[in-house]
Amino acid sequence: MNSFPSTPVIWKRSTKAKRITLRIEPVDGNIVLTLPPRATQAQAMAFLQEHSEWVAKALASLPPKTLLKAGHSIPIEGQLAPIIHEPEAKRGSWLDDEGLHVSGAAEHTERRVRDFLHKLASERLNNSVRHYSGAMQLFPKRVDLRDVRSRWGSCTREGRIMLSWRLVFTPPHIRDYVVIHELAHLEHFNHSPAFWTLVESFCTKGASGRLAAERWLRNNGTALLRIA
């Protein structure tokens, strides 16, 4: 029996799994149980009960969700910006020192904020890719922006790079670190010493800057994923 009746349990089977594993999905706060092929749901539920204290602590430590609505504040390039509804304005959405202003009917605020963020993310991330591609002389075949929950960026052997649009929430040097990291995979499709040397040669403050960026993402990533 689930000790957390108000929290959905997501069941996943994996041919690669060698044991039952447990994690909390950060966006919705669901409990995710991954089962190897021969494990039963009864065994998985027993595993969940055994780790109920850990689950309770993990659920309690989740940052509160931030909604894309007036009255809430969201980080934009590392700066906290209140969402301000301007029902009489005719300017769409715009960002200034006061915050992110959104005109029109209140029921459209969330969509307009999301549209604004996606457009800004596309502009900033593509500018960063162009800049560091030129500096590193490494050019991806394609760049896609997505809303993924497990990684901030990825690179395929074919030269396609994926970046999370949520990097628009991070300070510019954090965003740029992820871009540099993925571009470096075009040269080294691994995490070898040569890969890290290349990454650090373009990071602000070198190795210490790279480690600081990774630490920032570990410490703040869940909160960014919970901006709805």
Side-chain angles (χ1 to χ4, degrees):
M1 184 176 182
N2 180 9
S3 299
F4 311 94
S6 63
T7 306
V9 177
I10 309 299
W11 304 86
K12 293 186 176 182
R13 282 200 183 271
S14 171
T15 57
K16 296 181 180 179
K18 296 183 178 179
R19 58 186 177 85
I20 299 171
T21 59
L22 169 66
R23 66 182 178 88
I24 304 300
E25 195 282 314
V27 177
D28 299 316
N30 296 330
I31 300 168
V32 181
L33 282 163
T34 301
L35 286 66
R38 295 186 179 182
T40 66
Q41 284 198 359
Q43 290 173 324
M45 289 306 296
F47 184 85
L48 175 60
Q49 297 302 321
E50 182 183 348
H51 294 84
S52 60
E53 185 175 341
W54 177 88
V55 172
K57 289 180 179 178
L59 290 172
S61 69
L62 284 175
K65 277 198 169 184
T66 300
L67 303 180
L68 303 181
K69 296 182 178 180
H72 291 256
S73 295
I74 56 174
I76 299 179
E77 297 195 299
Q79 300 295 317
L80 205 58
I83 298 174
I84 304 167
H85 182 218
E86 303 272 12
E88 304 303 322
K90 304 295 183 182
R91 295 179 55 186
S93 303
W94 70 98
L95 183 66
D96 61 21
D97 291 341
E98 293 180 351
L100 176 56
H101 303 258
V102 185
S103 62
E107 60 265 28
H108 301 311
T109 297
E110 184 175 352
R111 174 181 59 79
R112 288 177 173 170
V113 170
R114 190 173 296 275
D115 288 346
F116 176 89
L117 292 171
H118 283 208
K119 182 178 179 181
L120 184 64
S122 178
E123 176 188 321
R124 296 292 197 266
L125 284 163
N126 280 299
N127 284 346
S128 181
V129 170
R130 280 191 291 270
H131 172 78
Y132 285 103
S133 287
M136 300 169 75
Q137 286 298 289
L138 294 168
F139 301 94
K141 290 184 178 179
R142 178 172 169 176
V143 177
D144 293 316
L145 269 57
R146 296 181 184 174
D147 191 8
V148 292
R149 303 181 181 189
S150 59
R151 57 182 65 185
W152 298 104
S154 63
C155 178
T156 70
R157 289 188 180 276
E158 294 73 33
R160 292 177 59 184
I161 284 178
M162 182 283 298
L163 298 168
S164 170
W165 72 266
R166 291 175 181 271
L167 288 166
V168 74
F169 297 134
T170 70
H173 71 281
I174 304 296
R175 172 200 69 209
D176 291 344
Y177 163 68
V178 176
V179 169
I180 292 166
H181 184 116
E182 300 311 329
L183 287 172
H185 278 310
L186 298 173
E187 179 75 21
H188 303 284
F189 200 72
N190 51 44
H191 288 104
S192 63
F195 168 82
W196 290 118
T197 296
L198 177 59
V199 169
E200 291 165 3
S201 68
F202 287 94
C203 281
T204 303
K205 298 183 180 180
S208 64
R210 186 263 291 188
L211 293 171
E214 292 175 349
R215 186 164 55 250
W216 193 98
L217 287 168
R218 284 196 303 272
N219 292 341
N220 297 278
T222 298
L224 303 187
L225 291 172
R226 287 179 64 78
I227 300 174

